[in-house]
Amino acid sequence: MTNQTILSIIEKYRRLLFYIHGHPTRGLMPKGQLCYIEDPTSLTTHGDVVHPCIRYIEKGFEGHKWWMVYTPYYNGNDSLENPRLCYADAEEGTPPIKWSFYCYIKDTPLTGYNSDPTMLFVDGNLYAFWRECETPSTKRIGCKYATFGCKIHNKKVIQFPEPLLACGFCKEDPSVDKEVCPSFIVINKELRAYAMDFDFVPKFIQHIPSKLGSFMYRHSMFFFFDAFGIFKHEKNNGVAIWNGNSLEQRFVYTKTVKFSGVSKLYQPWHMDLFRDDTENDGKIYAVVQSSMRFADICLAWSNDGEHFHFCKKQLLTSRSICAYGIYKPSALIHDNRLYLYYTVRDSHNYQWNKMFVSSYNWSNLKRELDL
C-alpha cells in the first residue's frame, strides 16, 4: 500500500470526524500557485522548502520588496535544515512566485541541527532568527533548544552571540518547550516574541520505565492515534509571550495564554504573525498550522496582543487544495489582499516539500470569517 493510498484513507476518515464535529472540510481560499526557488544546493536539497517566512517591505531593502527565509528539509534530513534568505520582485497586485537566492543565514552545526526560521524588518534593518537543537551553542547555555538571531547587511550575516529565547527542554522542565516556531513583532513600539508552548512527553510516559517509555514515544502507533483523532502525544499549552528591549539581547518569558475557539481535533503546531497596517486598533493576526500532522491552515486573531481566538472556518484544507502534508504557513496583507504561502508534500515524491501561494481579497475574507 503506497503512502498516497494510506493518506487517502486517513483523509476520508478525517472528513467523517469533521462532519461529526460540525466543521467544514473545505477552506475559503483557493489552491495556490506553485513557487520556484533558486537553490544553489539542489543536488542535495532537491529544491525542498519548509517553514517559509515571507515579509513585504514597502520601501524596499537592498533593492527588493519581497523577502523570504526558509529551510530545506528533503526526506526529513535535519542536517539540511539550515536557514537561507531569498528575495523576489513582482508587479503590483500579484504575489511573487519566482524567488532568487540571496545568502545563507546559518550553516550546518557541528552537532544538532537548525530549524524554524523567521524574520522582522524594523528601523531600516532586516533581522533573521532561527532555532537550534542540541548544538554547541545550546549546550553551552544548558537547554536543548534556543533561538538565535542576526542582522543582514550587504549579504553579510552579523550573528548575535547570545540567544534571544532560551526555554526549550531546559533542566528545570525537560519535557516542555516554550519557543516552538517563534515569531517576532513590534506592538505599540515594544518588541515581543510569540511562540507555541508545548509539552512533548505525555504524563503517563513520564511515570513508566524509561526504556519502555522511549519505545512507546518513538513508535509509529502515535502516528495512527493522531491520524484517527484518538490521541496526540504532544500537548499545546497555548501561546508563549516574550518581551524584549532589543533584538540583540535576550527576551524575557512572561506568560502562556491558551487559544480560544480551537476544535478538539486540532493541536495548534506552528504559526506566523502579521498585521493589517490600515487598522489602528493594534489587532494581531496569526495563520496557524492546526496540527503537527494532517493539518489545516486556520486564522486566529487577538485584539489585546495576548488572547488569540480561532476563526471557525479554515483558510485551507487538504481537501480544498487536493494535496497532503500541509506545513507551516506565512502570510501578509498588501493592497487589501491576503497572501498566504504554505508548503505541501509532492504527490509523487512524499519526501519533497513544495511551496505554493494563495491570495484572497482581505475585506471579503474578513466578512466570511465574521472578523
Side-chain angles (χ1 to χ4, degrees):
M1 188 177 293
T2 65
N3 283 334
Q4 200 70 12
T5 302
I6 294 172
L7 291 171
S8 179
I9 294 172
I10 292 173
E11 178 64 22
K12 290 178 181 178
Y13 176 80
R14 290 180 66 81
R15 287 183 199 173
L16 175 62
L17 291 181
F18 273 55
Y19 176 78
I20 293 172
H21 286 265
H23 295 315
T25 59
R26 295 185 182 274
L28 296 173
M29 297 184 70
K31 183 178 181 178
Q33 294 177 275
L34 177 63
C35 296
Y36 304 90
I37 294 90
E38 181 183 7
D39 185 353
T41 60
S42 59
L43 291 178
T44 55
T45 56
H46 300 271
D48 192 85
V49 180
V50 295
H51 220 289
C53 174
I54 314 289
R55 299 291 181 254
Y56 177 82
I57 302 171
E58 184 68 43
K59 295 183 179 180
F61 173 74
E62 299 192 359
H64 307 282
K65 293 187 176 182
W66 293 84
W67 290 87
M68 172 176 67
V69 64
Y70 78 95
T71 65
Y73 192 54
Y74 185 78
N75 197 25
N77 188 344
D78 291 333
S79 68
L80 302 178
E81 200 175 4
N82 304 309
R84 53 186 63 187
L85 187 64
C86 297
Y87 66 87
D89 300 293
E91 296 181 3
E92 287 299 316
T94 61
I97 59 172
K98 294 183 178 180
W99 294 82
S100 300
F101 174 80
Y102 185 76
C103 70
Y104 296 105
I105 296 297
K106 185 68 175 178
D107 291 329
T108 305
L110 293 175
T111 59
Y113 62 90
N114 303 309
S115 67
D116 296 12
T118 186
M119 283 190 301
L120 179 65
F121 182 77
V122 62
D123 296 332
N125 295 306
L126 183 62
Y127 297 87
F129 313 92
W130 66 94
R131 295 228 300 164
E132 296 189 15
C133 174
E134 295 187 317
T135 66
S137 296
T138 64
K139 292 177 181 178
R140 173 173 54 84
I141 61 174
C143 286
K144 182 177 180 180
Y145 292 97
T147 300
F148 292 84
C150 69
K151 182 163 64 174
I152 297 98
H153 180 67
N154 289 332
K155 294 191 176 181
K156 292 182 179 179
V157 175
I158 307 167
Q159 182 175 341
F160 310 134
E162 295 300 318
L164 280 81
L165 312 179
C167 194
F169 282 41
C170 293
K171 294 178 180 179
E172 295 79 9
D173 203 340
S175 71
V176 174
D177 188 346
K178 298 181 183 295
E179 52 171 294
V180 176
C181 186
S183 189
F184 293 80
I185 196 168
V186 179
I187 301 177
N188 298 324
K189 298 182 179 181
E190 295 183 355
L191 290 169
R192 280 193 187 178
Y194 293 81
M196 294 296 192
D197 182 337
F198 263 91
D199 193 335
F200 282 97
V201 182
K203 298 300 182 184
F204 75 90
I205 287 184
Q206 297 179 32
H207 294 93
I208 62 178
S210 58
K211 289 185 178 180
L212 177 60
S214 177
F215 170 79
M216 294 179 64
Y217 182 74
R218 301 176 193 280
H219 200 272
S220 60
M221 66 180 182
F222 281 123
F223 172 89
F224 292 101
F225 286 168
D226 189 349
F228 292 106
I230 300 170
F231 174 76
K232 296 178 184 293
H233 73 265
E234 69 278 352
K235 178 185 177 183
N236 181 292
N237 298 315
V239 180
I241 303 174
W242 304 69
N243 290 331
N245 295 318
S246 169
L247 289 172
E248 301 183 21
Q249 298 175 355
R250 189 173 297 197
F251 280 46
V252 176
Y253 167 75
T254 57
K255 67 177 75 173
T256 293
V257 182
K258 290 185 178 297
F259 284 103
S260 66
V262 182
S263 166
K264 293 180 179 180
L265 298 175
Y266 291 157
Q267 191 79 269
W269 174 236
H270 283 355
M271 71 176 182
D272 185 44
L273 301 178
F274 65 97
R275 302 281 296 273
D276 182 352
D277 291 335
T278 65
E279 298 176 346
N280 298 316
D281 55 4
K283 181 179 286 187
I284 308 172
Y285 298 94
V287 280
V288 186
Q289 178 184 337
S290 63
S291 305
M292 185 189 299
R293 295 165 291 271
F294 313 106
D296 300 328
I297 297 178
C298 302
L299 187 70
W301 54 273
S302 173
N303 282 330
D304 59 6
E306 292 190 358
H307 301 86
F308 285 85
H309 312 270
F310 259 61
C311 296
K312 292 182 179 180
K313 299 177 182 178
Q314 308 98 317
L315 296 181
L316 286 179
T317 68
S318 291
R319 187 180 185 188
S320 63
I321 63 173
C322 299
Y324 303 110
I326 294 175
Y327 209 67
K328 185 258 181 184
S330 182
L332 59 87
I333 298 169
H334 177 56
D335 284 345
N336 197 38
R337 291 197 72 81
L338 177 70
Y339 295 106
L340 177 68
Y341 286 85
Y342 57 96
T343 62
V344 297
R345 301 288 183 90
D346 180 72
S347 58
H348 301 291
N349 180 0
Y350 201 63
Q351 311 304 325
W352 183 17
N353 300 281
K354 295 181 175 180
M355 187 173 77
F356 293 79
V357 56
S358 296
S359 65
Y360 207 88
N361 181 281
W362 177 234
S363 297
N364 293 342
L365 186 63
K366 288 198 294 184
R367 281 194 290 271
E368 293 193 54
L369 293 171
D370 297 323
L371 290 175

